[in-house]
Amino acid sequence: LRRLAKGALVKIHKLGQKGVADVRELLGEYHKALIASEQSDAARRIAELLVDPSNHFRMVVPANQQVDASVSTE
């Protein structure tokens, strides 16, 4: 289970199709850069994440736009 701050008014969801596509796009570019800079160990780890991003990443979305004043730092 992931931990969030007490005042974090967010929900954690599994990645949808768009989320998976976004993660693959971003990690794909990072993977290419690692290969280009001959960082094969790091590239291999990223390639493992690219196989099934929904198994490794979650989407955090606001529960609402209200800020909980009892935990606000401003």
Side-chain angles (χ1 to χ4, degrees):
L1 187 65
R2 290 6 181 221
R3 292 177 49 171
L4 295 171
K6 180 180 176 183
L9 301 175
V10 297
K11 293 183 180 181
I12 299 175
H13 298 280
K14 288 192 125 190
L15 291 179
Q17 278 186 326
K18 178 160 177 21
V20 168
D22 290 344
V23 168
R24 280 197 172 127
E25 178 183 353
L26 292 169
L27 286 182
E29 291 301 317
Y30 182 47
H31 184 253
K32 288 177 196 173
L34 289 170
I35 290 172
S37 61
E38 299 179 1
Q39 297 180 57
S40 59
D41 290 340
R44 194 171 13 266
R45 287 192 298 270
I46 297 302
E48 290 169 4
L49 296 175
L50 283 166
V51 172
D52 185 11
S54 62
N55 193 38
H56 300 284
F57 296 93
R58 295 291 177 261
M59 181 171 57
V60 179
V61 295
N64 61 33
Q65 297 300 326
Q66 288 290 95
V67 175
D68 185 350
S70 69
V71 293
S72 179
T73 59
E74 295 181 21

